[in-house]
Amino acid sequence: MKRFSKGFFYLLILPIIWGFFGWQGWRWWSWASAAPQSEEQVRSSSGGGNSVKILIPPGTSSQQIGEDLKAAGLIRSDLAWRLWARWLIFKDPQGDFKAGSYSLAPTQSLSEVASKIWNGEVMTLSFTIPEGWSIQQMAEYFEQQGFFSAQEFIAASRQIPYQDYPWLPQNLPLLEGFLFPDTYQVESAEVTPQVIIRQMLDRFQESALPIYQQAKSQLNLDLNEWVTLASIVEKEAVVAEERNRISGVFHNRLQKGIQLASDPTVEYALGIRQTVDQPLTFKQVETPSPYNTYINVGLPPTAIASPGLASLKATLNPEKTDYLYFMARYDGTHIFSRTEAEHQAAIAEVERNLSSQ
């Protein structure tokens, strides 16, 4: 009877016990590793969104990561997290969870959350700087996006990193014109003025600098003068077909020693923007400034905006023309003139057209 009881235990009772605990363990794991919330629960909640941003600093242990995820409502069990972390390390002893900022959702399972952090799928931010923006405009944009304050960006733009970009012109007061306009992506944990500025300088170095280096032997402009003139062309040219012609006008005036008389340089000097209803006044045009090209002959000390490739190329390839003047029609196009008399007639024509509207 004793031997029968022992055999009966091993053959029937023990498997039942193991099966019971295995089933309970599987039930627990299914619950612990599942997403904390369903899509329906998220949609019906008052939160409005299902994305949670979480920052994992460098050196954070996997145990601490699990505790942080549980506290944020992104996993159900930090014990399950530790077990899964050990499994990942067993499969890939050289791997590890990566530091950074992550955008995670409570609708993701524990394995999905772990995979993102293990593979370093950090959250990135995208930003776009249009052609013709000044550093001031960029600074205001970054502040509005919540990246950092406008003042922080302006201060950083006055720190010229010659050690990393020795090609930058000497004695620059700020990086105006060299922060290349484009669309960028940056890891959210690395969003600082310095990181963004370096991205934009890198893009200038890759996209614009080679163009200048290939053509500088045929150009009577140094790098700063090239970028400065291109920035004025950028601000003046609205219609692409006129870009090279406008460049030609400015080149002609420089060669003849005539003031460029460009409105955008006065706007930059005064920190204003004229409109059809509020054009520049005589007092504003006569306000002394190194950037006022109505008063000073030649180019301003720095660029007034970030020129795009089209304006940079147009500055290297000015249209050969006799034009010395152009007048905006306020529809994007201009009337080009060879003499002062023609220019005054063009001004009168534009004023008549505006008054009749």
Side-chain angles (χ1 to χ4, degrees):
M1 184 69 180
K2 192 173 183 180
R3 292 180 58 189
F4 174 78
S5 299
K6 189 174 181 180
F8 180 77
F9 176 79
Y10 282 114
L11 290 173
L12 183 62
I13 303 301
L14 188 61
I16 291 174
I17 293 172
W18 279 111
F20 174 76
F21 282 110
W23 175 65
Q24 289 286 60
W26 178 251
R27 281 189 62 192
W28 174 83
W29 178 256
S30 297
W31 170 84
S33 63
Q37 296 184 41
S38 67
E39 294 285 355
E40 290 75 15
Q41 287 175 313
V42 170
R43 280 195 294 267
S44 62
S45 69
S46 58
N50 67 342
S51 178
V52 177
K53 296 178 183 177
I54 187 165
L55 173 64
I56 299 176
T60 306
S61 67
S62 61
Q63 180 176 333
Q64 184 61 55
I65 293 173
E67 292 173 2
D68 293 342
L69 291 171
K70 187 174 186 301
L74 292 166
I75 60 173
R76 288 179 168 177
S77 167
D78 51 345
L79 172 58
W81 174 267
R82 290 196 298 273
L83 293 172
W84 191 252
R86 289 177 185 175
W87 169 247
L88 291 175
I89 293 171
F90 173 77
K91 289 199 306 178
D92 181 11
Q94 304 303 317
D96 201 356
F97 293 110
K98 310 296 191 302
S101 290
Y102 294 87
S103 178
L104 304 169
T107 55
Q108 294 174 304
S109 68
L110 182 145
S111 61
E112 290 173 327
V113 170
S115 177
K116 289 191 73 171
I117 302 175
W118 186 268
N119 295 320
E121 297 174 24
V122 295
M123 185 173 65
T124 60
L125 298 175
S126 177
F127 65 92
T128 299
I129 302 300
E131 298 169 349
W133 267 18
S134 67
I135 284 176
Q136 180 65 44
Q137 288 173 293
M138 296 178 201
E140 292 170 358
Y141 166 77
F142 288 128
E143 184 169 275
Q144 291 167 1
Q145 295 297 309
F147 285 15
F148 35 72
S149 72
Q151 193 54 48
E152 285 180 281
F153 185 76
I154 292 172
S157 74
R158 297 184 184 279
Q159 304 298 315
I160 316 300
Y162 288 114
Q163 69 279 6
D164 297 317
Y165 306 94
W167 48 265
L168 282 168
Q170 293 298 307
N171 303 315
L172 280 178
L174 75 172
L175 291 167
E176 193 77 86
F178 293 96
L179 303 180
F180 197 74
D182 208 340
T183 295
Y184 297 86
Q185 287 191 329
V186 61
E187 291 186 13
S188 58
E190 299 179 352
V191 176
T192 66
Q194 291 76 16
V195 166
I196 285 179
I197 284 173
R198 287 179 179 277
Q199 275 193 311
M200 299 176 80
L201 286 174
D202 285 344
R203 194 68 54 86
F204 184 96
Q205 183 173 268
E206 297 164 3
S207 303
L209 191 59
I211 297 173
Y212 174 75
Q213 291 172 333
Q214 291 172 6
K216 65 179 180 180
S217 60
Q218 307 165 14
L219 195 68
N220 293 323
L221 299 172
D222 63 29
L223 180 60
N224 186 49
E225 292 170 335
W226 173 56
V227 173
T228 298
L229 182 54
S231 73
I232 299 174
V233 172
E234 183 69 60
K235 297 298 289 185
E236 293 279 15
V238 179
V239 178
E241 291 76 14
E242 293 185 352
R243 203 179 302 271
N244 291 71
R245 182 170 297 177
I246 288 174
S247 172
V249 170
F250 286 137
H251 274 277
N252 289 345
R253 293 179 77 89
L254 286 172
Q255 290 170 3
K256 293 180 180 293
I258 305 172
Q259 289 95 332
L260 295 184
S262 171
D263 287 4
T265 63
V266 177
E267 295 176 52
Y268 184 83
L270 300 178
I272 61 174
R273 182 175 178 81
Q274 68 171 328
T275 63
V276 178
D277 298 327
Q278 291 186 316
L280 291 176
T281 65
F282 286 112
K283 182 179 180 180
Q284 289 170 329
V285 169
E286 293 170 356
T287 301
S289 167
Y291 288 90
N292 189 334
T293 56
Y294 278 90
I295 295 175
N296 307 298
V297 175
L299 293 164
T302 70
I304 61 171
S306 286
L309 277 181
S311 292
L312 288 165
K313 290 178 179 179
T315 304
L316 293 175
N317 299 284
E319 183 178 313
K320 296 189 182 302
T321 175
D322 295 331
Y323 293 129
L324 289 173
Y325 307 88
F326 57 85
M327 176 62 190
R329 292 192 178 96
Y330 294 98
D331 64 355
T333 65
H334 298 81
I335 301 173
F336 293 85
S337 305
R338 295 176 177 82
T339 66
E340 175 68 25
E342 289 179 358
H343 184 53
Q344 291 302 322
I347 293 173
E349 178 186 335
V350 170
E351 290 177 347
R352 282 196 304 272
N353 290 337
L354 289 175
S355 62
S356 65
Q357 291 177 2

